[in-house]
Amino acid sequence: MGGKAPLVTVEGLRVTAGGGRSVIVDDVSFSIARGEVVALIGESGSGKTTIALALMGYARAGCTIAGGRVRVGGVEPIGLAPAALARLRGRTVSYIAQSAAAAFNPAQRIMAQVVENALIHRLRSRAAAEARARALFRALALPDPDGVGALFPHQVSGGQLQRLMAAMALITDPALVILDEPTTALDVTTQIEVLRAFKRVVREQGTTALYVSHDLSVVAQMADRIIVLRDGVVQESAPAAQLLTAPAHPYTRSLLAAAAPAPRQAVALPAGAAPLLRVSGLVAGYGPPDARGLPAVPVLHDIAFSIAPGSVLGVVGESGCGKSTLAQVIAGLLPAARGSITLDGEALAPRAAGRTREQLRRVQIVFQMADMALNPAHSVRRILARPLQFYHGLRDAALARRVAALLDMVRLPQALADRLPAGLSGGQKQRLNLARALAAEPALILCDEVTSALDTVVGAAILDLLAELRRELGVAYLFISHDISTIRALCDQVMILYAGRCVERGGRQVMQMAPMHPYTDLLLSSVPELRPGWLDGMSATHLAEAAGGLTRAAARLACPFQPRCAVRLEDVCDRVPPPVQPLSKGASILCHRGEAELLRAQATAAPLHASAD
Amino acid sequence: MNAGITRLRPATAAGLLIVLFWAAMAAFGPLLAPHADGGVMSAQVFDAASRAAPLGTDYLGRDMLTRILIGARYTVGVAAVATGLASLVGTTLALCAATVGGWTDAVLSRLLDALISLPSLLFALVVVASVGSSIPMLVATAAVIYVPGAYRTVRALAVNIVAMEFVKVARARGEGTLYLMRAEILPNIVLPVLTDFGLRFIYVVLLLSGLSFLGLGIQPPYADWGSLVRENIEGLAYGAPAVIMPALAIATLTIGVNLLVDGLAGRRGGGDGR
Amino acid sequence: MSPLARLLAARLASGVLTLLIVSLLVFLATEMLPGDVAQAVLGQSATPDAVAALRAAMHLDQPGWLRYLLWLRGLLTLDLGRSLVNGLPVASLIGSRLPNSLLLAGLTALVAVPVALLLGITAAVWRGTAYDRVVGVLTVSAVSVPEFLVATLAVLVFAVRLHWLPAMFYGLDLRSPGHMLLVFAMPVATLSFVVVAQIARMTRAALTNVLDSSYIEMAVLKGVRPLRLVLRHALPNALGPIVNAVALSVSFLLGGVIIVETIFNYPGLAKLMVDGVSTRDMPLVQACAMIFCAAYLLLVLLADLLAILANPRLRHP
Ligand SMILES: Nc1ncnc2c1ncn2[C@@H]1O[C@H](COP(=O)(O)OP(=O)(O)OP(=O)(O)O)[C@@H](O)[C@H]1O
Ligand code: SF4
Ligand SMILES: [Mg+2]
């Protein structure tokens, strides 16, 4: 690689925002050789996208490219005339955006948008461009490559749109492709397909690419070289294998550590304690109820579980499977259509308005979007004081003392008490949310993706805090996450949801021991590993299952996983509701297949994902 | 306060000054008027500006400046009361609908949406035709006409806030509807609600002066600026200031409010930082 | 029925329902009239027999809901009753004026809509520039100025000072374009003034929203040039809101028509209605109000249907 002149060189790039008042990219230099895939990795706000866009001579509104040189294949995009820039963009350099759903024009058919690049740059006739597009659709393993072009973007799934955008980028055979977090918005099982499609196309066409991501495991599968970025400054740049195995910079090491979180210390639970919360036969959804009282959009189907005092139940599943809905039903924000919820043996009313203040106090909820969960008009002090007044009737000095104590408990400096939420960082906001929940002195906290919106390092600190609070206060959590590693790190019990059904439930060891429910098996094997060859080593069974994705039609089947399932029983699984059956490892699954059959199927589908605990 | 004003954009500051000026005139205008109300001070009708009558004289030879200063009370005051009523009722209903949701929301929205589809001047004409145009009736009519608009704007704002998780947190805590409306939702929409008040005030001023201009609004012996334009319309043929000045007074008032509102609305983004 | 057809049908039904509610409101408002209408019409000196006869003829002896239904039937069969002032059939009074008002509104729309769209679109495309700010301040001022100021200023300048145009409306001669231009110049310009500003503001807002979206950024990064960006990528997505803005501005147009017809003494429906209001000629006022409301609702409904049809999500579920 060393001999050839690099395709891209960046020297001393500097980008400022707010009229030069803040520097968001500072003195960044790197180069990309022809045919090389370079990854730019860093946490949110570290300037990844800004650098990527600067390669196209583009700065978002409010940002200015304040200095440095960029060369892409002999052209210097910075300061280029608009007409020349338009010739560069989409032709020499093309861009794959983070959210394909937002980046496709909702008013145009997909084919028109995919070939537009080739037409405006006068590379091909329309017919030739469309033929080339269909070839790319095929290469990207899109279902129905001949028909998909006639659809509108909203008629296609997110994973497919992401691949369609790759076709849009590649149709001009650009010298450089920029992929900006192309799989971040996708579920893990969908991500696999998209990553594999990208990888194959990049390899076949010898594309030079800049891959922007915050996820080291994903980057490990794609990149030849990795550049680590923090606050707009390059920390380390090294070949992928070297950076992953022998990181030189302490910041890289902390990223690597946070990517594979260690399990927090477990708590010994008193055996045989009466459950704190028991849920059975829960059915819930949205929209007006029909004649039988069932909601128009059913989301949760026959969910049952219990949580022991002081224990943690993890709920995992892909986006839209009903995790948040479950938390809202328990909190009384969304009345269930069927089923019962009991707290300490007392039945809870479906709506919060029907519950006693004491019942409400004992169950608190914390949301994913830390900033949306804080009233921007209320100061930190007021936010914490309200539950103290509301539940405990505290006033004056006692109130002030308790607010101070709560801030201490979640490690927030006292000086923040009079700030508005806008003056806090993301991590601080989430701590404040926790403190507000703790103010009620609850027995159970419903944590809905509380670390998902945070950077890995910040999220890891919140996980530590949660573990510590649980040890000290004996509070139980219903811990919702789509991220299996955080579930592994914190939870005693695990429940796996698919299309609103609980497909597997058991102790945390269920995620390490075969056999599993076929969906659990797929989900676990889809979680990217830091090991570079992981993606290429996926078993064919899992790849086939991952390719399916949940469709609206499938969600109505007796087993919604049936169309994807490698061990499905034709004419049974789609019609007969699968039974709940216990497994000898201590879990129960929702499946027609017996333990022995599953064990056999999953043994052959190796390599097994059992990671050390 | 001083620092606050100097940080405003020039257009916004100009708007603020105009609004303050007319508010002061509405309050103290009669005290400042150079001549007694209703007093004929010149034999010359439709006179041009002179030292004694800086804005000329009207169709009876009365001083226009005095007439305008006294009219300020009716144009500004009546419109302010009507808008205040409309905003108060509209905002309360909207907060209620957004917080409670369900049937309350559906019924309220349906009804008020039907009301909104009556063009305002038309509705006012129908009411005036039927019950006449006393000042209380005009205030009530204008308030009724603009309740649906205020309701719709505030409801749209409030629905966005209600969907936010901090409201869910408060609900899950067991807070009542009133607390949600007052403490959780209202503080986050104060600025846009004020903006909306300003815009609605302009509409009401235009509506009422339009009615008066048609001779169907405020009736003699009272006169707002719209009536002044009407009673002096014959002076148009002579190019008398008596026709143009009251109309210009309305224009400065409404443009002033609009500039102020535009400035406030523009500040919404960055504003609350600390 | 396809979901799209069902949606369109629902909109249509909701439009009809709104019109019914509006008719009820108009009826109620005009029924608030204190005192006895028949007595008021005939004057104090009328004999009790004559009053009773008129009461029967106007169905005043019937309960309110029945009178509402009778009135509604009258509306649907174009039997609008007789004027209380001159006894002429309301339908013929309206029939002679309606075409004039439609002509005025049509000419105004013809002038105002293209100008407004041009202003709104250019301001959105060059948003943040001096041009945008100037258009912004001008349109803000224009929407806040009363129509009668614009009209009086226009008369003052063009009729009184310059003698270019007639101050009053002397009659229509549709055959002579020169005459038409002279006669309609001021009324149309006055009406357009506010309508242009209103539509331009809403168009700019709708288009700015779209231009700030990620798919527009994506198009820029594909190397799409500005003209194509606006025409092909942005405008189709802003169509719904723009069509709605145009329809909503009609309500401003309506208020303006009332003022302008009065000022220029234009023989239109609005002038007829204002005269009816001064003389408290209820059947006439009711009928005019319903015509205006129906026209307005029809336009809003049309805009709604267009917006639905322009939305690919609804057209291709
Ligand atoms: N207010 C609502 N009205 C109608 N449908 C809704 C509503 N909220 C959620 N849904 C639907 O209910 C299903 C479950 O949503 P839910 O938010 O519970 O999923 P989730 O598992 O929390 O997903 P994520 O991981 O994306 O947060 C989804 O199909 C979603 O589209
Ligand atoms: S029930 Fe059938 S389709 Fe569903 S997971 Fe089990 S085997 Fe697969
Ligand atoms: Mg969720």
Side-chain angles (χ1 to χ4, degrees), chain A residues 175-394:
Chain A
L176 172 71
V177 179
I178 297 172
L179 300 98
D180 189 356
E181 305 251 19
T183 62
T184 304
L186 305 177
D187 281 313
V188 274
T189 54
T190 322
Q191 170 171 275
I192 292 189
E193 264 206 296
V194 177
L195 283 180
R196 284 185 61 99
F198 284 175
K199 188 154 187 178
R200 173 150 25 90
V201 172
V202 164
R203 198 182 287 146
E204 278 169 7
Q205 323 218 335
T207 315
T208 313
L210 180 68
Y211 194 103
V212 175
S213 178
H214 72 284
D215 188 337
L216 267 174
S217 316
V218 166
V219 157
Q221 313 309 316
M222 305 294 294
D224 302 317
R225 206 149 51 80
I226 300 178
I227 300 171
V228 181
L229 204 67
R230 183 190 199 182
D231 295 335
V233 180
V234 172
Q235 308 289 318
E236 180 172 2
S237 164
Q242 181 192 333
L243 188 127
L244 291 167
T245 50
H249 197 280
Y251 180 67
T252 314
R253 283 201 286 275
S254 76
L255 278 183
L256 280 168
R264 306 311 194 256
Q265 191 192 330
V267 179
L269 294 170
L276 172 68
L277 183 86
R278 181 191 288 280
V279 168
S280 58
L282 195 73
V283 176
Y286 300 91
D290 64 11
R292 290 172 302 154
L294 293 176
V297 185
V299 174
L300 294 175
H301 305 263
D302 198 18
I303 302 289
F305 62 89
S306 62
I307 302 179
S311 74
V312 182
L313 171 67
V315 180
V316 216
E318 55 200 52
S319 179
C321 71
K323 306 183 296 292
S324 301
T325 307
L326 179 62
Q328 304 213 20
V329 170
I330 296 173
L333 294 170
L334 179 75
R338 296 257 196 290
S340 71
I341 309 171
T342 59
L343 182 69
D344 288 325
E346 266 177 69
L348 289 181
R351 288 171 199 278
R355 300 182 183 176
T356 68
R357 196 166 279 201
E358 181 60 14
Q359 289 170 339
L360 292 167
R361 182 188 69 74
R362 290 173 62 75
V363 181
Q364 294 289 309
I365 185 165
V366 178
F367 288 101
Q368 167 173 12
M369 290 296 162
D371 46 350
M372 296 233 283
L374 298 169
N375 191 330
H378 292 179
S379 69
V380 170
R381 185 186 304 286
R382 183 167 174 196
I383 288 169
L384 290 182
R386 181 65 195 174
L388 294 173
Q389 295 162 331
F390 188 82
Y391 292 125
H392 306 293
L394 290 189

Side-chain angles (χ1 to χ4, degrees), chain A residues 517-518 559 561-562 565 567-568 573 578 591-593:
Chain A
H517 185 279
C559 174
F561 193 58
Q562 194 263 358
C565 184
V567 293
R568 67 177 162 249
C573 298
C591 187
H592 283 296
R593 289 286 189 183

Side-chain angles (χ1 to χ4, degrees), chain A residues 157 160 189-190 193 318 498 522 544-552 554 560-561 563-564:
Chain A
S157 77
Q160 294 179 17
T189 54
T190 322
E193 264 206 296
E318 55 200 52
Y498 185 73
L522 168 65
E545 288 184 338
L550 177 66
T551 61
R552 237 184 290 172
F561 193 58
R564 303 169 74 178

Side-chain angles (χ1 to χ4, degrees), chain C residues 172-238:
Chain C
L172 280 172
D173 179 1
L174 294 176
R175 280 156 307 175
S176 148
H179 171 82
M180 289 270 288
L181 187 68
L182 274 186
V183 165
F184 278 103
M186 278 203 291
V188 168
T190 307
L191 275 178
S192 302
F193 201 72
V194 174
V195 177
V196 164
Q198 192 66 28
I199 300 181
R201 272 172 78 80
M202 295 205 231
T203 303
R204 180 193 177 277
L207 198 55
T208 308
N209 244 342
V210 171
L211 285 171
D212 287 340
S213 60
S214 343
Y215 54 83
I216 294 297
E217 181 175 66
M218 188 65 214
V220 171
L221 292 176
K222 275 159 84 173
V224 174
R225 305 293 179 85
L227 192 65
R228 185 181 168 93
L229 191 72
V230 170
L231 294 184
R232 296 261 321 193
H233 288 261
L235 264 185
N237 288 291

